[in-house]
Amino acid sequence: MEQDRRRHPRTEVHGAAELVLEDSSKVSGEVIEISHGGFRLRHEYRGFKEDQRVSFVHAFDKGKARVVWSRQVGPHMESGFCIMDRP
């Protein structure tokens, strides 16, 4: 059995989110899980790269984050983000 490497407990949520990429383009999605250190986003954008930096705002938090992982899940994409900074 693989060991869970998560540092913070996760909470399932549902809320709209908007991310702004370094080139000022925007990605909308739905936050589906949060923790103190990050969040998981369901979206349609296929261009996220590992370690890419974004600004984000959603119903539960806002700040700057980096992409940890991104993968296709059914017809959607999901990405995990690590929060780097909060205002």
Side-chain angles (χ1 to χ4, degrees):
M1 179 188 257
E2 185 175 322
Q3 180 179 353
D4 189 349
R5 299 181 311 181
R6 296 174 176 181
R7 295 182 187 161
H8 306 284
R10 305 306 199 245
T11 302
E12 184 177 328
V13 296
H14 297 281
E18 184 170 274
L19 282 63
V20 179
L21 310 182
E22 291 176 327
D23 68 0
S24 298
S25 60
K26 295 180 180 179
V27 174
S28 296
E30 178 186 18
V31 177
I32 57 175
E33 189 177 70
I34 60 172
S35 74
H36 176 72
F39 59 95
R40 182 165 46 124
L41 184 74
R42 179 176 293 139
H43 56 89
E44 304 304 321
Y45 182 67
R46 297 183 181 280
F48 283 129
K49 306 286 186 230
E50 189 175 319
D51 290 324
Q52 181 176 358
R53 303 307 201 251
V54 301
S55 296
F56 70 93
V57 61
H58 55 69
F60 312 98
D61 207 352
K62 64 181 178 179
K64 297 191 183 299
R66 71 176 173 83
V67 178
V68 178
W69 56 267
S70 195
R71 65 178 175 234
Q72 186 165 350
V73 178
H76 305 285
M77 297 297 291
E78 288 187 4
S79 299
F81 295 85
C82 176
I83 297 172
M84 307 297 293
D85 186 37
R86 291 179 170 100

